[in-house]
């Protein structure tokens, strides 16, 4: 009876051990399954992160390219503006030079005109003075002639 009791207890222990082993196997499989699911989730998230990183890299590169293009356009616009400024500056300098030359020529012409007018006025004054002297001499001669004629007339009388 004790042997049967011991056999029964051993059989019961073996059953419990098998159930416990089965339960542990079941738990281990469940744990392995959960672990694989978590690994898959981590892998998916890493893939998503890589995809987002790649997308972000593209966006950043696009923004850099756009910035470079904008900088290049600004530099080109600045160069063009400087070129236009230089060209306009040259035009204005040439125009200024032409105007200054024309003004110098006009001043020379006016100075020559004033000199000629002064010469003409001096010549006219000298001519008038000469005529006036001639008139005075003629008047003096006429007066002297008149006086001589008067004297002659008085002597005859």
């Amino acid at each position: 009876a004790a042997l049967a009791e011991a056999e029964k207890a051993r059989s019961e222990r073996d059953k419990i051990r098998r159930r416990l082993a089965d339960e542990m196997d079941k738990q281990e499989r469940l744990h392995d399954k959960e672990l694989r699911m978590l690994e898959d989730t981590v892998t998916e998230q890493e893939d998503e992160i890589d995809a987002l990183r790649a997308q972000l890299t593209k966006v950043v590169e696009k923004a850099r390219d756009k910035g470079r293009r904008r900088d290049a356009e600004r530099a080109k616009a600045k160069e063009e503006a400087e070129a236009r400024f230089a060209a306009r500056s040259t035009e204005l300098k040439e125009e200024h030079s032409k105007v200054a030359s024309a003004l110098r020529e006009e001043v020379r012409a006016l100075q020559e005109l004033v000199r000629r007018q002064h010469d003409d006025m001096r010549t006219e004054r000298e001519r008038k003075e000469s005529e006036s002297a001639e008139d005075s001499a003629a008047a003096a001669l006429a007066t002297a002639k008149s006086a001589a004629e008067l004297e002659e007339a008085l002597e005859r009388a």
Side-chain angles (χ1 to χ4, degrees):
L3 199 59
E5 194 61 40
E7 189 64 36
K8 188 175 176 186
R10 197 171 18 137
S11 173
E12 208 44 53
R13 250 186 325 201
D14 286 344
K15 253 193 217 179
I16 290 173
R17 278 187 189 150
R18 276 192 306 274
R19 265 191 261 141
L20 188 57
D22 285 345
E23 189 60 34
M24 284 180 72
D25 285 344
K26 185 177 173 184
Q27 286 296 324
E28 195 173 321
R29 284 191 305 272
L30 185 61
H31 181 69
D32 286 346
K33 184 177 179 184
E34 286 176 357
L35 189 58
R36 277 192 306 275
M37 286 173 53
L38 285 173
E39 286 174 348
D40 289 346
T41 302
V42 167
T43 302
E44 287 174 12
Q45 288 176 345
E46 286 175 345
D47 290 346
E48 285 179 30
I49 289 170
D50 289 343
L52 288 172
R53 205 174 268 140
Q55 190 177 6
L56 179 62
T57 301
K58 284 181 186 177
V59 168
V60 167
E61 196 55 42
K62 230 183 216 182
R64 284 183 185 152
D65 288 345
K66 188 175 182 181
R68 284 186 205 113
R69 279 194 306 274
R70 194 176 324 118
D71 290 347
E73 288 170 0
R74 284 183 186 153
K76 183 179 177 183
K78 182 180 176 186
E79 286 177 14
E80 289 173 354
E82 288 173 349
R84 284 192 306 273
F85 176 79
R88 183 64 178 140
S89 178
T90 301
E91 283 177 25
L92 290 174
K93 284 178 185 175
E94 289 172 358
E95 191 175 315
H96 176 270
S97 177
K98 288 176 186 175
V99 168
S101 178
L103 285 174
R104 280 192 295 275
E105 193 59 41
E106 196 170 324
V107 165
R108 273 190 229 112
L110 287 172
Q111 287 173 336
E112 180 63 25
L113 178 65
V114 166
R115 188 187 58 72
R116 273 191 260 127
Q117 285 178 342
H118 280 277
D119 287 349
D120 289 350
M121 286 171 50
R122 185 176 53 249
T123 303
E124 183 64 22
R125 187 176 58 242
E126 288 171 356
R127 187 187 59 75
K128 283 183 180 178
E129 286 174 0
S130 174
E131 283 178 3
S132 176
E134 286 175 8
D135 288 348
S136 294
L141 186 62
T143 304
K145 201 174 184 183
S146 286
E149 285 175 2
L150 205 79
E151 245 182 72
E152 207 176 287
L154 279 174
E155 279 179 17
R156 273 188 243 148

